[in-house]
Every structure is written in C-alpha cells, then in structure tokens.
Amino acid sequence: SQQGEEDPQALSIQEGENATMNCSYKTSINNLQWYRQNSGRGLVHLILIRSNEREKHSGRLRVTLDTSKKSSSLLITASRAADTASYFCATDADSGGSNYKLTFGKGTLLTVNP
Amino acid sequence: ETGVTQSPTHLIKTRGQQVTLRCSSQSGHNTVSWYQQALGQGPQFIFQYYREEENGRGNFPPRFSGLQFPNYSSELNVNALELDDSALYLCASSSVFRSTDTQYFGPGTRLTVL
C-alpha cells in the first residue's frame, strides 16, 4: 500500500520558476525523504528530514515537515530544464520490528520547459 | 552515480519462466533492499537482506526470493513469472542496519513478461 501521496500528480512550469510539490502520509514517522527519478531509472536521494525538524535546505531545495498535519512539501527554486523528473516522497512508516523499509508515494512528474 | 550496480539493464521473459536479477552494493554497505516499481507507481518494498539473512519482507509471495553473498552483492529470484511482474526492479544499499536513513539506489532492471 502507498503511504505517501504526492500532490500534484503532474506539474509543468517554465525555467526559472519555483516548483512546489506536496506529500501527505497516514501514520507517524521517524523521517521523511525525497527522491528524484529520471525517465524510469534509479532513484537519487535528495534530502532527509527527521520528525523533530520543521524545515531543511539543500542548495535550491527546501523541505518542510508538519507532523501535526502529516504533510511535507518540497520546493525547488529557480528551476532548470535538468530538474525535469519524477519526485517521490518516502517515509519509514510501517518500519520497526524486523521491517526497515521505505514506503513511497506515487510521485509528482515535474516538467520544466526551457 | 551511487556506486550501486544492477544487471541486466533490460530483460524479456515469458509467463511461467524464472528470472534472476543481480545487484552489487556500494562499497562498505552491508544492507541491501529490493523494490518493485510498476509503471506509473512508486517503488514497493520486496525484502531486505543483512549479513546474508532476510531482515524483513513486504507483501510479496514466496516465489519472490533473494540471496545476499559474503561480499554483500545480492540476487532477486522470481519463479513462475506472471504478466503483472513486469516492472522496474530496484536495489538499494545502505551502511546502517535497522535504519531507513539514506539508501543508495541502483539504476534498476526493467523486466518485461510476455
């Protein structure tokens, strides 16, 4: 089952604009991560935010986490054509015990037009 | 590049056949996880191996099995292939047991079952 749900499913913007993607999840978590995937290939880790953190930055990326609303957002500033990819949030919900797995949402397809 | 490699890149099989996919972990990583990603979906956890033993398993039938070798490379075996097994299979390695902190994904193997 999918724990995270990204919103929107697809986003198309112009180069230089900011892109915001949202993720909601259902159960309590220890951490939430964002990954990027180009053209159905491997996943690239972007950023991890822990449940006791509210905001984190990495280069042009800004991630927020609201555990009371069980939601996170990923902001990409000054987007570039090379940012075109699918973006997934992943949580460690359902981990614990002997299962240490990431549970992914369905992803947001971001298209940045030159 | 994450240092995680997978082979083969693409594979075509027919229903009922068996398939073996291979993964070489990043140097120093002793934990490997396997995920199945159907078209248009997020990755779903299959199982995880640590020190050659299965550490946890997702909602996949027993015909999905795995191995981890002393050098921490890994195999995913699928018996009696079904059409719905067509997907991108991703392996991810990490250096921290009992943690979902950053996992490093390989480029994936795309399996098509006809």
Side-chain angles (χ1 to χ4, degrees), chain B residues 15-71:
Chain B
R15 195 170 44 182
Q17 285 188 313
Q18 178 265 341
V19 69
T20 297
L21 310 181
R22 294 178 175 82
C23 171
S24 179
S25 300
Q26 184 164 319
S27 177
H29 287 186
N30 54 19
T31 302
V32 64
S33 302
W34 284 91
Y35 292 81
Q36 180 197 65
Q37 186 178 19
L39 197 62
Q41 303 292 315
Q44 293 210 0
F45 176 77
I46 303 175
F47 44 54
Q48 183 183 83
Y49 277 81
Y50 171 70
R51 290 189 176 178
E52 304 175 52
E53 291 195 1
E54 188 178 292
N55 177 49
R57 189 177 186 94
N59 189 26
F60 281 82
R63 59 190 186 84
F64 285 78
S65 63
L67 284 173
Q68 187 183 30
F69 300 100
N71 66 355

Side-chain angles (χ1 to χ4, degrees), chain B residues 72-90:
Chain B
Y72 304 131
S73 64
S74 176
E75 286 183 355
L76 165 65
N77 298 289
V78 187
N79 293 322
L81 283 167
E82 300 177 0
L83 297 180
D84 285 348
D85 295 334
S86 294
L88 181 69
Y89 288 85
L90 297 160

Side-chain angles (χ1 to χ4, degrees), chain A residues 1-2 31 33 35 37 40-43 45 48 50 88 92 95 97-102 104-106, chain B residues 9 35 37 40-45 48 55-57 88 90 98-103 105-107 110:
Chain A
S1 63
Q2 305 281 159
N31 66 61
Q33 303 178 48
Y35 285 83
Q37 184 176 44
R41 299 303 288 168
L43 295 164
H45 181 262
L48 179 152
R50 301 196 185 279
F88 295 90
D92 65 345
S95 282
S98 61
N99 268 7
Y100 295 91
K101 64 178 182 179
L102 290 174
F104 289 83
K106 293 184 179 181
Chain B
T9 305
Y35 292 81
Q37 186 178 19
Q41 303 292 315
Q44 293 210 0
F45 176 77
Q48 183 183 83
N55 177 49
R57 189 177 186 94
L88 181 69
L90 297 160
R98 296 188 181 277
S99 170
T100 56
D101 278 14
T102 305
Q103 296 189 19
F105 283 82
R110 185 162 297 282

